[in-house]
Amino acid sequence: MVWIGVILAGGVGAVLRFLLDGAVARRAGKSFPFGTLAVNISGAALLGFLGALALDRQAALLAGTAFVGSYTTFSTWMLETQRLGEERQLRNAVANVVASIVLGIGAALLGQWIGGLV
């Protein structure tokens, strides 16, 4: 049963990533990967929130690993950063790395704080 939950939660997370990334990218333009940034920051906040809830092992697997793991995307973040570097958009590449790390840590801490209030 857990495997079915992982498959379903992972599928939902991947679809939501695709939808949010596309919606943000359409509004913000394509010169900077704002869609991936929005996905990863919101995922960090959600994972921080879930971590504060002290879920049991199976619930943590489904929510954290399956859903949030498929929703967020390290590989796309790195590929987009590398692409910015290839296009000689070094400021955008550095900004993507710095913003992702700083905002991601902040979002995770905020999510953890909110989860602690629940």
Side-chain angles (χ1 to χ4, degrees):
M1 243 5 226
V2 173
W3 286 103
I4 292 171
V6 169
I7 291 167
L8 293 174
V12 170
V15 169
L16 288 177
R17 173 182 68 213
F18 175 77
L19 293 173
L20 179 61
D21 185 2
V24 171
R26 278 190 302 280
R27 286 176 180 79
K30 302 211 184 235
S31 64
F32 188 86
F34 287 109
T36 300
L37 182 64
V39 165
N40 286 341
I41 300 311
S42 61
L46 180 57
L47 195 56
F49 176 79
L50 293 170
L53 297 181
L55 302 172
D56 68 50
R57 185 176 179 275
Q58 288 186 343
L61 174 70
L62 290 173
T65 304
F67 178 76
V68 179
S70 67
Y71 173 70
T72 58
T73 175
F74 180 80
S75 56
T76 301
W77 173 52
M78 286 292 98
L79 181 64
E80 290 171 340
T81 303
Q82 186 264 337
R83 178 189 50 81
L84 289 169
E86 281 184 350
E87 294 173 356
R88 306 244 187 267
Q89 296 183 48
L90 299 181
R91 286 185 187 179
N92 280 346
V94 171
N96 192 33
V97 171
V98 172
S100 294
I101 291 170
V102 171
L103 294 175
I105 290 170
L109 290 171
L110 177 63
Q112 191 174 31
W113 178 74
I114 293 170
L117 297 176
V118 175

